[in-house]
Amino acid sequence: MQPFNYVAVTQQQQAVDAISANPAAAFLAGGTNLIDEMKLNLQTPRQLVDINALPMANIERSPDGGLRIGAMVRNSDLAWNDDVRQRYPLLSEALLSGASPQLRNMASTGGNLLQHTRCYYFRDVSSPCNMRQPGSGCSAIDGYNRIHAVLGTSDKCIATHPSDMCVALVALEATIHIVGPHGERDVPINEFYVAYGDDPAKLNVLNRDELITYVALPAMPWAKRSHYLKVRDRASYEFALASAAVALDLDGRTIREARIALGGVATKPWRAVEAERRLAGQKAGDALFQAAADDALQSAKPQKFNAFKIELAKRTIFKALQDTAAMG
Amino acid sequence: MDQQGSSPKTNPPSPGAVSRRGLLTAAAFGAGVVVMPWLNGCTGTARQQTEQSPQQPPPSPAGTEAVTLQVNGQSYALRLDPRVTLLDALREDLGLTGTKKGCDHGQCGACTILVDGRRVNSCLMLAISAGGKSITTIEGLASGDSLHPMQTAFIEHDAFQCGYCTPGQICSAVGLTREGHAATDDDIREQMAGNICRCGAYPNIVSAVRQAMQNKA
C-alpha cells in the first residue's frame, strides 16, 4: 500500500475543502472497496479524508412522502429499516443479497453507489485495462469474460457494474444529492452513470471534488409490490451473474406501470425500459412476462464466455415478474 | 487498567511472561545462531532478536500517527503508520493473535471482530480510524475463566476442526445474535455466510449458533 496522510473531518464543509485542496485525496467511508483496492495498489491516494463522522447517517421521511437516505447510512441499517422493508422491499432484498453481514455493517450508501467493477483484469494492475489506463486495451474482451456484461458494452470495455443496491435504486428512480465547492445539485440515478463509449475511465458524473450527501427515494406507494431476485453460482456471498429488481403497479390483473432493472449483466445498473413498455397497460401473465424478458435482452451482445447470461437474465426477469405479481 | 505511554504495548504485558508465539520464535532463532555461527552478517538480525525479547517491537518510524485503541476493556496508546489495518494492529502491535488473517481482503471473515458491538472485517479497517470505538476480539469474550455462551456452544457441538476460522466464526455469531434477525437454521446459514470454513464444520457451527441463540432468550 502506498503511504498516505490521514485526516478525519466532522463537518461537510471541511470534507469539501479537503478534497478540493488536494487532487491526490480520497474520501474514506466504509472502506470496503477503497481499502481493498489500496492493498492491490489499484488506488493510491496520498491523503485519506475520513468522512465517517459526518452527520449523514440518518434515514428520514421526506416532506413529499418519500425517503431521504444519508450517504453514511450503513448498508445493513438501510436493509433492516422498517420503512424500507415495508415501502420499498426490493431495496431491502437487494441490500441483503449483497456481500456479507460484516461488509454490510461497514459499507455506506454513498460508497455502494461508487464501488468499482470486480473485473479481475481491472483489479490486476499488471493487466492492460482501458478503465484504469485509457488506451491500454481491454484484457477481458479477448480474455476470460464469464462475469462480464452483455448490455451497455463498448469495444473499449465490457466490465459489469457489481452493485445490488444500485439496481434497486435505479428501479425506484432515486435521486443523488451532491455537494461541491460550487454548490449543491441533484442527479437522477439514471443520469449518474456514464456509458463506457470510448472512455470507460469516466464512470459517473460525480466530480473529483464533490461529496454525495444523501439519496432520495420518491414517494411511490406501489413500490410495496416489489422484489429483487439474484442468481449466482453460490447460494450467498457472491456477485450476481444476473439479477432483476421489479416493481409492479397492479390494478386487479392489469399492470398500470412496471419498473424493471437489471444487475450482473450490464455496465451500469440497467433500467430495462423496453420491457417496462411491453408490460404497461397489459394483463399480467406468463406469455407477457416472457415477451418482456425477451425485449429486455434484445440488444444484448454476448462475449465468448458469457453468452449464457442472456438466457439466464431472461429467466431471472420472468421469475421476478411472476413472484412480484403473485405477492399478496 | 489503562496502559498509557508512547511505546506500543503487547498483551499479555507482564515482562516475565512468554507466549507460545514468543517461545517458538526464540527457539527458531536460537537454533539458527547455534548451528551457523559463520553466517554472522546474515543472521545479524536473528542475533539481535535473541538478545531482546521477541515481543519487543521495533522503534516507531517517522510518518506515524497517534491513536488510542480501546480493546477488550483496555486502553492502548499507539503510534502507527496510517496504512496499518486494525487486524494487523491487533495482531502485531497488541499481540492479540486470536483474530486471524485469512484473505486480507474482506472475503473470508477470519478477521471478524466486534466494533461498537457490530461485526466487521478488521482487515479492511485502518487502525488509525478506530480510535474511540469499543473493540472486542475473541480474547475479550470470556469473563475471566467463564467462557462466553457462544464459545461453550462451539465446544459442545464440535463446531471447529483446525480452528483457524473459529475466532471469526464465534465473533460473527455473537454479532449475529445481537442483530436479532435470525429465526431459523436457514437464517443462521445465510447470516453466517460471511465466514468461510475450509474444514467444512458448517453443520456443527449452525447447531452451535442455534443453541447459543436460543439460550440467550
Side-chain angles (χ1 to χ4, degrees):
Chain A
M1 201 187 287
Q2 295 301 309
F4 56 87
N5 292 319
Y6 170 89
V7 62
V9 294
T10 53
Q11 285 161 38
Q12 196 174 284
Q13 193 56 51
Q14 291 176 315
V16 174
D17 289 345
I19 205 82
S20 307
N22 186 350
F27 287 134
L28 172 66
T32 53
N33 197 212
L34 177 59
I35 303 296
D36 174 29
E37 292 188 350
M38 285 173 71
K39 292 186 185 198
L40 298 170
N41 278 326
L42 190 47
Q43 293 207 53
T44 54
R46 287 301 191 253
Q47 183 184 52
L48 286 192
V49 181
D50 187 332
I51 56 171
N52 283 276
L54 290 186
M56 309 191 301
N58 288 335
I59 305 170
E60 292 158 349
R61 287 236 179 166
S62 324
D64 68 354
L67 209 61
R68 181 178 289 200
I69 305 161
M72 276 311 308
V73 171
R74 308 291 168 176
N75 285 184
S76 55
D77 293 328
L78 184 56
W80 291 106
N81 175 270
D82 285 334
D83 243 359
V84 173
R85 292 174 77 196
Q86 282 153 30
R87 298 168 65 213
Y88 309 94
L90 80 172
L91 178 57
S92 176
E93 290 177 14
L95 283 157
L96 290 177
S97 78
S100 69
Q102 293 91 314
L103 291 171
R104 296 194 291 265
N105 282 342
M106 300 161 75
S108 66
T109 308
N112 196 321
L113 287 167
L114 297 172
Q115 68 177 297
H116 289 148
T117 183
R118 298 313 194 281
C119 167
Y120 18 78
Y121 300 108
F122 170 76
R123 284 172 64 82
D124 171 18
V125 294
S126 67
S127 285
C129 171
N130 286 326
M131 191 182 277
R132 264 188 289 106
Q133 282 178 292
S136 63
C138 172
S139 304
I141 288 173
D142 291 316
Y144 187 56
N145 44 39
R146 180 172 185 268
I147 65 167
H148 292 72
V150 294
L151 291 167
T153 58
S154 77
D155 60 2
K156 298 290 188 291
C157 187
I158 58 169
T160 311
H161 194 278
S163 173
D164 298 296
M165 182 195 81
C166 295
V167 176
L169 291 181
V170 158
L172 292 170
E173 293 191 344
T175 307
I176 300 168
H177 189 81
I178 296 167
V179 163
H182 309 297
E184 307 191 19
R185 59 194 181 116
D186 288 296
V187 179
I189 193 168
N190 217 31
E191 295 165 28
F192 184 73
Y193 296 101
V194 175
Y196 290 160
D198 284 332
D199 182 21
K202 183 168 167 60
L203 298 169
N204 54 58
V205 301
L206 187 72
N207 293 321
R208 204 205 56 75
D209 55 2
E210 289 181 311
L211 171 72
I212 296 173
T213 57
Y214 63 83
V215 171
L217 302 184
M220 195 173 139
W222 56 275
K224 276 206 299 284
R225 178 185 290 279
S226 67
H227 182 41
Y228 186 76
L229 179 59
K230 181 172 180 178
V231 179
R232 47 188 160 177
D233 291 317
R234 296 197 288 265
S236 187
Y237 201 3
E238 194 178 27
F239 295 97
L241 289 174
S243 69
V246 169
L248 290 176
D249 184 6
L250 284 189
D251 177 12
R253 290 304 291 171
T254 303
I255 300 170
R256 276 196 284 241
E257 191 182 344
R259 299 278 177 84
I260 303 177
L262 305 179
V265 294
T267 54
K268 54 181 188 166
W270 194 262
R271 183 82 182 271
V273 287
E274 313 86 344
E276 293 176 2
R277 267 185 232 124
R278 170 76 69 166
L279 295 173
Q282 303 301 314
K283 281 215 157 28
D286 284 0
L288 179 71
F289 294 160
Q290 187 59 58
D294 292 339
D295 286 345
L297 276 298
Q298 177 69 26
S299 64
K301 188 167 173 285
Q303 302 294 327
K304 185 166 176 208
F305 293 97
N306 72 359
F308 72 91
K309 282 196 177 189
I310 298 177
E311 178 61 25
L312 187 66
K314 289 184 190 178
R315 296 187 192 187
T316 305
I317 295 168
F318 180 84
K319 177 99 172 70
L321 283 169
Q322 272 191 331
D323 290 348
T324 306
M327 281 173 73
Chain B
M1 283 297 241
D2 272 9
Q3 296 178 13
Q4 301 287 341
S6 59
S7 57
K9 296 290 186 286
T10 57
N11 189 345
S14 41
V18 178
S19 70
R20 189 187 312 120
R21 168 182 269 214
L23 179 64
L24 290 172
T25 310
F29 282 119
V33 169
V34 165
V35 167
M36 296 174 286
W38 59 89
L39 293 174
N40 210 353
C42 300
T43 55
T45 311
R47 279 183 177 275
Q48 253 181 327
Q49 292 264 337
T50 54
E51 277 150 18
Q52 302 166 5
S53 157
Q55 284 178 10
Q56 198 71 236
S60 300
T64 58
E65 308 254 346
V67 64
T68 299
L69 295 181
Q70 313 283 346
V71 185
N72 301 330
Q74 291 194 14
S75 198
Y76 301 89
L78 301 172
R79 288 208 66 87
L80 296 172
D81 186 312
R83 293 172 288 181
V84 174
T85 61
L86 182 54
L87 174 63
D88 282 337
L90 291 170
R91 291 180 53 80
E92 308 297 331
D93 295 276
L94 300 186
L96 293 169
T97 53
T99 310
K100 305 305 183 196
K101 178 177 290 190
C103 70
D104 210 26
H105 280 273
Q107 295 174 18
C108 76
C111 68
T112 306
I113 58 171
L114 297 160
V115 174
D116 290 338
R118 291 162 63 119
R119 45 182 172 159
V120 295
N121 291 328
S122 58
C123 69
L124 292 182
M125 290 180 68
L126 298 176
I128 50 165
S129 75
K133 299 190 195 304
S134 173
I135 297 166
T136 305
T137 68
I138 187 69
E139 291 94 341
L141 288 184
S143 305
D145 281 342
S146 297
L147 290 178
H148 188 284
M150 191 61 72
Q151 291 172 304
T152 307
F154 267 61
I155 294 168
E156 289 180 359
H157 288 273
D158 187 27
F160 53 94
Q161 294 178 40
C162 79
Y164 196 79
C165 74
T166 311
Q169 298 278 1
I170 292 174
C171 287
S172 187
V174 171
L176 179 160
T177 307
R178 284 194 198 149
E179 286 158 18
H181 299 305
T184 64
D185 278 5
D186 274 347
D187 290 341
I188 294 172
R189 289 185 190 98
E190 173 60 35
Q191 292 174 35
M192 289 296 292
N195 293 86
I196 302 178
C197 172
R198 189 62 179 85
C199 295
Y202 297 116
N204 293 357
I205 292 171
V206 172
S207 302
V209 176
R210 187 203 312 125
Q211 172 186 302
M213 244 176 53
Q214 286 169 353
N215 290 346
K216 209 168 158 52

PDB file of all heavy atoms in Angstrom, chain B residues 182-205:
ATOM      1  N   ALA B 182     -32.202 -13.555  13.052  1.00  0.00           N
ATOM      2  CA  ALA B 182     -32.205 -14.965  12.667  1.00  0.00           C
ATOM      3  C   ALA B 182     -33.214 -15.737  13.488  1.00  0.00           C
ATOM      4  O   ALA B 182     -33.204 -15.676  14.720  1.00  0.00           O
ATOM      5  CB  ALA B 182     -30.817 -15.564  12.848  1.00  0.00           C
ATOM      6  N   ALA B 183     -34.105 -16.479  12.792  1.00  0.00           N
ATOM      7  CA  ALA B 183     -35.089 -17.290  13.495  1.00  0.00           C
ATOM      8  C   ALA B 183     -34.891 -18.778  13.185  1.00  0.00           C
ATOM      9  O   ALA B 183     -35.001 -19.609  14.064  1.00  0.00           O
ATOM     10  CB  ALA B 183     -36.503 -16.861  13.105  1.00  0.00           C
ATOM     11  N   THR B 184     -34.567 -19.087  11.924  1.00  0.00           N
ATOM     12  CA  THR B 184     -34.444 -20.479  11.514  1.00  0.00           C
ATOM     13  C   THR B 184     -32.987 -20.835  11.240  1.00  0.00           C
ATOM     14  O   THR B 184     -32.128 -19.962  11.162  1.00  0.00           O
ATOM     15  CB  THR B 184     -35.242 -20.717  10.226  1.00  0.00           C
ATOM     16  OG1 THR B 184     -34.634 -19.922   9.185  1.00  0.00           O
ATOM     17  CG2 THR B 184     -36.690 -20.307  10.393  1.00  0.00           C
ATOM     18  N   ASP B 185     -32.758 -22.140  11.029  1.00  0.00           N
ATOM     19  CA  ASP B 185     -31.416 -22.589  10.657  1.00  0.00           C
ATOM     20  C   ASP B 185     -30.997 -21.966   9.327  1.00  0.00           C
ATOM     21  O   ASP B 185     -29.835 -21.621   9.132  1.00  0.00           O
ATOM     22  CB  ASP B 185     -31.365 -24.114  10.556  1.00  0.00           C
ATOM     23  CG  ASP B 185     -31.195 -24.776  11.913  1.00  0.00           C
ATOM     24  OD1 ASP B 185     -31.204 -24.052  12.939  1.00  0.00           O
ATOM     25  OD2 ASP B 185     -31.056 -26.007  11.956  1.00  0.00           O
ATOM     26  N   ASP B 186     -31.925 -21.832   8.393  1.00  0.00           N
ATOM     27  CA  ASP B 186     -31.596 -21.194   7.109  1.00  0.00           C
ATOM     28  C   ASP B 186     -31.174 -19.746   7.312  1.00  0.00           C
ATOM     29  O   ASP B 186     -30.295 -19.250   6.621  1.00  0.00           O
ATOM     30  CB  ASP B 186     -32.797 -21.260   6.151  1.00  0.00           C
ATOM     31  CG  ASP B 186     -32.819 -22.571   5.362  1.00  0.00           C
ATOM     32  OD1 ASP B 186     -31.800 -23.293   5.384  1.00  0.00           O
ATOM     33  OD2 ASP B 186     -33.847 -22.863   4.715  1.00  0.00           O
ATOM     34  N   ASP B 187     -31.818 -19.073   8.262  1.00  0.00           N
ATOM     35  CA  ASP B 187     -31.409 -17.704   8.593  1.00  0.00           C
ATOM     36  C   ASP B 187     -29.972 -17.709   9.094  1.00  0.00           C
ATOM     37  O   ASP B 187     -29.167 -16.849   8.736  1.00  0.00           O
ATOM     38  CB  ASP B 187     -32.306 -17.111   9.688  1.00  0.00           C
ATOM     39  CG  ASP B 187     -33.714 -16.811   9.216  1.00  0.00           C
ATOM     40  OD1 ASP B 187     -33.923 -16.707   7.993  1.00  0.00           O
ATOM     41  OD2 ASP B 187     -34.609 -16.690  10.081  1.00  0.00           O
ATOM     42  N   ILE B 188     -29.660 -18.651   9.974  1.00  0.00           N
ATOM     43  CA  ILE B 188     -28.301 -18.725  10.524  1.00  0.00           C
ATOM     44  C   ILE B 188     -27.307 -18.960   9.400  1.00  0.00           C
ATOM     45  O   ILE B 188     -26.277 -18.294   9.310  1.00  0.00           O
ATOM     46  CB  ILE B 188     -28.181 -19.842  11.586  1.00  0.00           C
ATOM     47  CG1 ILE B 188     -29.048 -19.505  12.805  1.00  0.00           C
ATOM     48  CG2 ILE B 188     -26.722 -20.033  12.004  1.00  0.00           C
ATOM     49  CD1 ILE B 188     -29.135 -20.631  13.822  1.00  0.00           C
ATOM     50  N   ARG B 189     -27.627 -19.898   8.514  1.00  0.00           N
ATOM     51  CA  ARG B 189     -26.703 -20.177   7.404  1.00  0.00           C
ATOM     52  C   ARG B 189     -26.464 -18.937   6.568  1.00  0.00           C
ATOM     53  O   ARG B 189     -25.325 -18.593   6.247  1.00  0.00           O
ATOM     54  CB  ARG B 189     -27.281 -21.283   6.507  1.00  0.00           C
ATOM     55  CG  ARG B 189     -27.275 -22.654   7.126  1.00  0.00           C
ATOM     56  CD  ARG B 189     -27.749 -23.744   6.161  1.00  0.00           C
ATOM     57  NE  ARG B 189     -27.931 -24.978   6.908  1.00  0.00           N
ATOM     58  CZ  ARG B 189     -29.090 -25.422   7.361  1.00  0.00           C
ATOM     59  NH1 ARG B 189     -30.209 -24.755   7.111  1.00  0.00           N
ATOM     60  NH2 ARG B 189     -29.166 -26.541   8.060  1.00  0.00           N
ATOM     61  N   GLU B 190     -27.555 -18.259   6.218  1.00  0.00           N
ATOM     62  CA  GLU B 190     -27.418 -17.058   5.389  1.00  0.00           C
ATOM     63  C   GLU B 190     -26.649 -15.979   6.131  1.00  0.00           C
ATOM     64  O   GLU B 190     -25.759 -15.334   5.572  1.00  0.00           O
ATOM     65  CB  GLU B 190     -28.808 -16.554   4.986  1.00  0.00           C
ATOM     66  CG  GLU B 190     -28.814 -15.209   4.269  1.00  0.00           C
ATOM     67  CD  GLU B 190     -28.027 -15.190   2.977  1.00  0.00           C
ATOM     68  OE1 GLU B 190     -28.022 -16.214   2.263  1.00  0.00           O
ATOM     69  OE2 GLU B 190     -27.391 -14.156   2.685  1.00  0.00           O
ATOM     70  N   GLN B 191     -26.933 -15.796   7.401  1.00  0.00           N
ATOM     71  CA  GLN B 191     -26.311 -14.696   8.136  1.00  0.00           C
ATOM     72  C   GLN B 191     -24.930 -15.030   8.664  1.00  0.00           C
ATOM     73  O   GLN B 191     -24.261 -14.171   9.216  1.00  0.00           O
ATOM     74  CB  GLN B 191     -27.249 -14.245   9.259  1.00  0.00           C
ATOM     75  CG  GLN B 191     -28.516 -13.589   8.691  1.00  0.00           C
ATOM     76  CD  GLN B 191     -29.526 -13.252   9.747  1.00  0.00           C
ATOM     77  OE1 GLN B 191     -29.174 -12.881  10.858  1.00  0.00           O
ATOM     78  NE2 GLN B 191     -30.803 -13.381   9.415  1.00  0.00           N
ATOM     79  N   MET B 192     -24.502 -16.269   8.486  1.00  0.00           N
ATOM     80  CA  MET B 192     -23.112 -16.626   8.780  1.00  0.00           C
ATOM     81  C   MET B 192     -22.321 -16.791   7.496  1.00  0.00           C
ATOM     82  O   MET B 192     -21.176 -17.250   7.521  1.00  0.00           O
ATOM     83  CB  MET B 192     -23.050 -17.926   9.602  1.00  0.00           C
ATOM     84  CG  MET B 192     -23.517 -17.794  11.039  1.00  0.00           C
ATOM     85  SD  MET B 192     -22.474 -16.692  12.035  1.00  0.00           S
ATOM     86  CE  MET B 192     -20.936 -17.633  12.113  1.00  0.00           C
ATOM     87  N   ALA B 193     -22.909 -16.418   6.368  1.00  0.00           N
ATOM     88  CA  ALA B 193     -22.277 -16.659   5.070  1.00  0.00           C
ATOM     89  C   ALA B 193     -20.978 -15.886   4.902  1.00  0.00           C
ATOM     90  O   ALA B 193     -20.188 -16.184   4.014  1.00  0.00           O
ATOM     91  CB  ALA B 193     -23.240 -16.314   3.943  1.00  0.00           C
ATOM     92  N   GLY B 194     -20.736 -14.900   5.740  1.00  0.00           N
ATOM     93  CA  GLY B 194     -19.509 -14.123   5.639  1.00  0.00           C
ATOM     94  C   GLY B 194     -18.311 -14.775   6.295  1.00  0.00           C
ATOM     95  O   GLY B 194     -17.240 -14.169   6.379  1.00  0.00           O
ATOM     96  N   ASN B 195     -18.484 -16.008   6.782  1.00  0.00           N
ATOM     97  CA  ASN B 195     -17.378 -16.728   7.435  1.00  0.00           C
ATOM     98  C   ASN B 195     -17.193 -18.081   6.773  1.00  0.00           C
ATOM     99  O   ASN B 195     -18.044 -18.962   6.887  1.00  0.00           O
ATOM    100  CB  ASN B 195     -17.685 -16.908   8.930  1.00  0.00           C
ATOM    101  CG  ASN B 195     -17.701 -15.589   9.672  1.00  0.00           C
ATOM    102  OD1 ASN B 195     -18.727 -14.895   9.719  1.00  0.00           O
ATOM    103  ND2 ASN B 195     -16.566 -15.228  10.239  1.00  0.00           N
ATOM    104  N   ILE B 196     -16.051 -18.227   6.122  1.00  0.00           N
ATOM    105  CA  ILE B 196     -15.799 -19.440   5.358  1.00  0.00           C
ATOM    106  C   ILE B 196     -15.009 -20.428   6.222  1.00  0.00           C
ATOM    107  O   ILE B 196     -14.149 -20.032   7.015  1.00  0.00           O
ATOM    108  CB  ILE B 196     -14.994 -19.102   4.088  1.00  0.00           C
ATOM    109  CG1 ILE B 196     -15.750 -18.075   3.241  1.00  0.00           C
ATOM    110  CG2 ILE B 196     -14.755 -20.339   3.268  1.00  0.00           C
ATOM    111  CD1 ILE B 196     -14.991 -17.663   2.000  1.00  0.00           C
ATOM    112  N   CYS B 197     -15.306 -21.722   6.067  1.00  0.00           N
ATOM    113  CA  CYS B 197     -14.602 -22.765   6.815  1.00  0.00           C
ATOM    114  C   CYS B 197     -14.120 -23.829   5.850  1.00  0.00           C
ATOM    115  O   CYS B 197     -14.928 -24.573   5.291  1.00  0.00           O
ATOM    116  CB  CYS B 197     -15.537 -23.376   7.859  1.00  0.00           C
ATOM    117  SG  CYS B 197     -14.871 -24.833   8.685  1.00  0.00           S
ATOM    118  N   ARG B 198     -12.831 -23.911   5.628  1.00  0.00           N
ATOM    119  CA  ARG B 198     -12.287 -24.900   4.693  1.00  0.00           C
ATOM    120  C   ARG B 198     -12.440 -26.317   5.201  1.00  0.00           C
ATOM    121  O   ARG B 198     -12.521 -27.260   4.439  1.00  0.00           O
ATOM    122  CB  ARG B 198     -10.804 -24.583   4.414  1.00  0.00           C
ATOM    123  CG  ARG B 198     -10.172 -25.408   3.306  1.00  0.00           C
ATOM    124  CD  ARG B 198     -10.836 -25.175   1.971  1.00  0.00           C
ATOM    125  NE  ARG B 198     -10.219 -25.944   0.909  1.00  0.00           N
ATOM    126  CZ  ARG B 198     -10.525 -27.218   0.618  1.00  0.00           C
ATOM    127  NH1 ARG B 198     -11.430 -27.861   1.325  1.00  0.00           N
ATOM    128  NH2 ARG B 198      -9.916 -27.837  -0.380  1.00  0.00           N
ATOM    129  N   CYS B 199     -12.467 -26.502   6.520  1.00  0.00           N
ATOM    130  CA  CYS B 199     -12.644 -27.831   7.089  1.00  0.00           C
ATOM    131  C   CYS B 199     -14.080 -28.313   6.946  1.00  0.00           C
ATOM    132  O   CYS B 199     -14.353 -29.486   7.120  1.00  0.00           O
ATOM    133  CB  CYS B 199     -12.279 -27.848   8.572  1.00  0.00           C
ATOM    134  SG  CYS B 199     -10.537 -27.512   8.903  1.00  0.00           S
ATOM    135  N   GLY B 200     -14.996 -27.409   6.673  1.00  0.00           N
ATOM    136  CA  GLY B 200     -16.379 -27.829   6.487  1.00  0.00           C
ATOM    137  C   GLY B 200     -17.136 -28.082   7.764  1.00  0.00           C
ATOM    138  O   GLY B 200     -18.020 -28.931   7.814  1.00  0.00           O
ATOM    139  N   ALA B 201     -16.845 -27.327   8.817  1.00  0.00           N
ATOM    140  CA  ALA B 201     -17.538 -27.542  10.090  1.00  0.00           C
ATOM    141  C   ALA B 201     -18.927 -26.911  10.111  1.00  0.00           C
ATOM    142  O   ALA B 201     -19.553 -26.829  11.163  1.00  0.00           O
ATOM    143  CB  ALA B 201     -16.686 -26.975  11.227  1.00  0.00           C
ATOM    144  N   TYR B 202     -19.389 -26.495   8.962  1.00  0.00           N
ATOM    145  CA  TYR B 202     -20.634 -25.715   8.888  1.00  0.00           C
ATOM    146  C   TYR B 202     -21.831 -26.303   9.626  1.00  0.00           C
ATOM    147  O   TYR B 202     -22.509 -25.584  10.360  1.00  0.00           O
ATOM    148  CB  TYR B 202     -21.019 -25.461   7.422  1.00  0.00           C
ATOM    149  CG  TYR B 202     -20.031 -24.646   6.637  1.00  0.00           C
ATOM    150  CD1 TYR B 202     -19.352 -25.191   5.554  1.00  0.00           C
ATOM    151  CD2 TYR B 202     -19.778 -23.312   6.952  1.00  0.00           C
ATOM    152  CE1 TYR B 202     -18.451 -24.439   4.814  1.00  0.00           C
ATOM    153  CE2 TYR B 202     -18.879 -22.555   6.223  1.00  0.00           C
ATOM    154  CZ  TYR B 202     -18.221 -23.126   5.150  1.00  0.00           C
ATOM    155  OH  TYR B 202     -17.335 -22.379   4.423  1.00  0.00           O
ATOM    156  N   PRO B 203     -22.157 -27.589   9.448  1.00  0.00           N
ATOM    157  CA  PRO B 203     -23.367 -28.091  10.134  1.00  0.00           C
ATOM    158  C   PRO B 203     -23.269 -27.919  11.641  1.00  0.00           C
ATOM    159  O   PRO B 203     -24.246 -27.552  12.300  1.00  0.00           O
ATOM    160  CB  PRO B 203     -23.406 -29.569   9.745  1.00  0.00           C
ATOM    161  CG  PRO B 203     -22.602 -29.676   8.499  1.00  0.00           C
ATOM    162  CD  PRO B 203     -21.533 -28.630   8.624  1.00  0.00           C
ATOM    163  N   ASN B 204     -22.084 -28.170  12.187  1.00  0.00           N
ATOM    164  CA  ASN B 204     -21.918 -28.044  13.630  1.00  0.00           C
ATOM    165  C   ASN B 204     -21.888 -26.587  14.070  1.00  0.00           C
ATOM    166  O   ASN B 204     -22.303 -26.249  15.186  1.00  0.00           O
ATOM    167  CB  ASN B 204     -20.647 -28.775  14.082  1.00  0.00           C
ATOM    168  CG  ASN B 204     -20.769 -30.278  13.913  1.00  0.00           C
ATOM    169  OD1 ASN B 204     -21.816 -30.788  13.520  1.00  0.00           O
ATOM    170  ND2 ASN B 204     -19.699 -30.994  14.223  1.00  0.00           N
ATOM    171  N   ILE B 205     -21.387 -25.720  13.202  1.00  0.00           N
ATOM    172  CA  ILE B 205     -21.411 -24.285  13.510  1.00  0.00           C
ATOM    173  C   ILE B 205     -22.862 -23.826  13.625  1.00  0.00           C
ATOM    174  O   ILE B 205     -23.239 -23.098  14.545  1.00  0.00           O
ATOM    175  CB  ILE B 205     -20.656 -23.468  12.442  1.00  0.00           C
ATOM    176  CG1 ILE B 205     -19.154 -23.777  12.492  1.00  0.00           C
ATOM    177  CG2 ILE B 205     -20.910 -21.970  12.615  1.00  0.00           C
ATOM    178  CD1 ILE B 205     -18.360 -23.181  11.339  1.00  0.00           C
TER     179      ILE B 205
END
